[in-house]
Amino acid sequence: MNSLAQTDQKINKLIQQEIKRQQNGLVMIASENYVSPAVRQALGSVLTNKYSEGYPNKRYYGGNQFIDQIELLAQERARQLFNAKQYHVNVQPYSGSPANLEVYFALLKPGDKIMGMALDQGGHLTHGHRVNLSGKMFRFIQYGVDKKTKRLNYQAIRQLAKREKPKLIISGATAYSRKINFRQFHQIAQEIDAISMADISHLAGLIVGQVHPSPFPFTDIVTTTTHKTLRGPRGAMIFCKQKFVKQIDRMVFPGMQGGPHNQTTAAIAVTLQEASRVIFRRYAQKIVINAQILAQTLKKEGIKLVTGGTDNHLLLVDLTNLSIDGQTATQLLSNIGIYVNKNMIPNDLGTPTKPSGIRLGTPALTTRGFRQQEMIIVGQLISQILHQPKNKQINQLARKQIKQLTKRFPLPR
Ligand SMILES: *Cc1c(COP(=O)(O)O)cnc(C)c1O
């Protein structure tokens, strides 16, 4: 059979253009990263040809002897890497959103009460937003950050939990730049006999690298995507304590999903192997150092940050003192090849489509090899664009500097 270039010129050309875009731009979207060639090789393998509904040694189709070994390896490596030996892990969820819904439907009944962080305060859509199936099918009680400090206030969360008595409490966020105290969340859940769940999608790589506290080995359920700081393929995993194994596995399959994406399972296994190396731990440390240098640089330039800084891989920029909204800022930065996303800030007076903030992350640039010096340059470029969006000279100069940077730091290949 023919190659992609021969079979489908249109798609091939678009992929080539996307490769160039990735090469020539700076990804500062906190949830994106660059996977290794090894991960991509597994992802593009013939494993995509195989149906394997069920679980290792309990399949509905023949010919799964190698798929079984791949899935078991992925499970074993996941438990090893996260120091979660007492846990069971399901590596089949198609992505983070279905993984979370699978947990809710496995352990609760529609209409049951769950507590999660509100989207406009830093939580994820699947933590109970009303437009999401989570918010439609369950009675969500939403917590946020403290009005003054913009940080989680565990005493306030405890009070809310005691008053509302949810059956499940979710910790974890998607736009929160400070450490999350998973132990506190678990204790609060225990005090009201609720199940504790940590969604570490954003933090998985930092937890592996020991630069963020872990929700193991006490949290009842831990979900994570595999494609953010963990630097793997798009996918997800659900860890659970032994007493939840049956319910979780049955909800993933046959409850919500059909055949697992075996090519993804293999790529996850490769990712977990890569993440177990010392060099990955150093990578995680660099992500945080880079984020902190970026924060310092922006602050020196008069840019406001929610909570004034960061403990992790991301920063939330508060644009309210500048004459620019998050939508415009995202567009202007993308015009020069810096990719970010607009984001609500706590108690935002704007709207989700025109919020007052942008979110910046360092995982992808750190994978490319950016260190202190480069982060300072990037911070200054962002500041110049935000302060003087209409200055043509600044825009031109920025483009030139980005070209130099991207040339010096090619993508992993
Ligand atoms: C990204 C993310 C998800 C969802 O992941 P998808 O793979 O995009 O569905 C869920 N929870 C949190 C906290 C996330 O950051």
Side-chain angles (χ1 to χ4, degrees):
M1 278 185 267
N2 293 329
S3 69
L4 180 59
Q6 290 164 316
T7 306
D8 190 335
Q9 280 182 20
K10 275 191 187 151
I11 288 295
N12 188 55
K13 183 161 172 228
L14 288 166
I15 293 176
Q16 295 309 318
Q17 288 174 321
E18 172 63 10
I19 291 172
K20 279 218 185 90
R21 187 195 67 83
Q22 291 191 12
Q23 174 62 44
N24 299 337
L26 301 183
V27 172
M28 301 195 72
I29 294 168
S31 49
E32 291 186 6
N33 213 330
Y34 305 103
V35 300
S36 71
V39 167
R40 276 194 281 130
Q41 212 178 329
L43 209 47
S45 70
V46 296
L47 298 177
T48 194
N49 296 339
K50 187 77 197 97
Y51 243 113
S52 40
E53 283 183 349
Y55 291 102
N57 306 317
K58 289 173 279 187
R59 306 284 188 185
Y60 289 81
Y61 297 77
N64 273 305
Q65 59 271 41
F66 305 116
I67 301 296
D68 279 0
Q69 291 180 55
I70 288 168
E71 190 167 337
L72 288 170
L73 252 180
Q75 290 176 355
E76 189 42 45
R77 286 180 185 171
R79 292 191 291 138
Q80 182 95 24
L81 185 68
F82 286 91
N83 239 322
K85 299 271 174 53
Q86 316 89 306
Y87 285 71
H88 169 69
V89 60
N90 189 311
V91 297
Q92 292 189 8
Y94 297 145
S95 214
S97 301
N100 285 348
L101 288 168
E102 282 153 6
V103 172
Y104 310 151
F105 280 102
L107 307 181
L108 307 170
K109 286 194 284 299
D112 278 353
K113 229 185 232 185
I114 309 180
M115 230 168 100
M117 193 172 187
L119 180 78
D120 59 4
Q121 301 274 308
H124 190 257
L125 269 172
T126 57
H127 295 185
H129 196 275
R130 61 192 151 70
V131 302
N132 185 265
L133 201 56
S134 58
K136 290 184 199 289
M137 298 304 290
F138 298 92
R139 266 171 70 204
F140 261 89
I141 307 300
Q142 304 247 270
Y143 61 84
V145 291
D146 185 85
K147 275 210 171 68
K148 263 213 193 97
T149 64
K150 308 284 158 58
R151 293 177 187 235
L152 291 168
N153 174 340
Y154 296 92
Q155 223 25 55
I157 293 167
R158 173 175 277 108
Q159 275 170 14
L160 185 64
K162 291 207 155 145
R163 196 168 68 230
E164 296 288 348
K165 297 250 174 0
K167 292 194 170 160
L168 183 121
I169 299 181
I170 309 167
S171 55
T174 186
Y176 183 67
S177 65
R178 295 300 178 174
K179 289 204 168 98
I180 295 175
N181 191 333
F182 293 117
R183 199 174 276 284
Q184 278 281 352
F185 271 105
H186 178 65
Q187 265 166 14
I188 293 168
Q190 274 192 318
E191 285 165 27
I192 59 161
D193 269 329
I195 298 167
S196 64
M197 165 176 167
D199 177 352
I200 60 167
S201 290
H202 263 267
L203 299 172
L206 304 187
I207 289 166
V208 167
Q210 298 182 3
V211 287
H212 190 285
S214 172
F216 297 105
F218 45 86
T219 307
D220 295 317
I221 308 280
V222 178
T223 60
T224 183
T225 54
T226 46
H227 49 276
K228 299 180 183 175
T229 50
L230 197 57
R231 210 162 61 182
R234 313 198 78 79
M237 307 189 281
I238 303 171
F239 294 84
C240 66
K241 287 188 180 161
Q242 293 302 328
K243 62 179 166 185
F244 302 115
V245 175
K246 263 202 178 141
Q247 292 152 280
I248 293 289
D249 276 359
R250 273 190 194 152
M251 187 48 65
V252 174
F253 174 85
M256 266 184 63
Q257 301 191 168
H261 295 178
N262 299 310
Q263 74 285 8
T264 303
T265 307
I268 288 173
V270 175
T271 300
L272 296 166
Q273 158 95 321
E274 288 177 348
S276 70
R277 299 186 188 143
V278 178
I279 194 169
F280 188 88
R281 182 145 168 209
R282 276 198 233 115
Y283 165 63
Q285 290 164 347
K286 287 182 207 162
I287 291 177
V288 177
I289 293 169
N290 280 347
Q292 288 172 343
I293 289 166
L294 182 64
Q296 282 166 18
T297 310
L298 291 173
K299 275 167 73 176
K300 256 194 221 147
E301 302 272 334
I303 306 244
K304 253 169 76 179
L305 302 177
V306 176
T307 77
T310 180
D311 300 327
N312 59 25
H313 61 301
L314 67 83
L315 339 163
L316 210 49
V317 176
D318 176 345
L319 298 167
T320 49
N321 65 333
L322 302 169
S323 53
I324 191 169
D325 64 81
Q327 161 70 26
T328 316
T330 301
Q331 191 55 54
L332 287 167
L333 288 169
S334 141
N335 286 347
I336 61 160
I338 296 182
Y339 303 107
V340 307
N341 65 278
K342 58 184 171 188
N343 216 102
M344 301 280 271
I345 58 172
N347 314 311
D348 205 319
L349 295 174
T351 60
T353 46
K354 232 182 179 134
S356 313
I358 54 173
R359 190 183 65 165
L360 304 176
T362 53
L365 291 188
T366 308
T367 295
R368 273 181 100 145
F370 281 47
R371 298 302 309 270
Q372 178 159 354
Q373 261 190 319
E374 291 78 42
M375 292 320 297
I376 293 172
I377 298 175
V378 171
Q380 287 169 344
L381 286 177
I382 293 174
S383 156
Q384 286 166 4
I385 299 287
L386 294 181
H387 277 113
Q388 301 185 64
K390 296 203 178 98
N391 188 322
K392 278 204 178 118
Q393 224 180 339
I394 283 180
N395 269 274
Q396 251 170 22
L397 208 67
R399 279 209 186 89
K400 217 165 134 189
Q401 276 180 289
I402 289 166
K403 200 170 176 183
Q404 284 168 355
L405 280 173
T406 54
K407 260 208 179 130
R408 271 176 56 212
F409 298 93
L411 300 185
R413 44 162 98 236

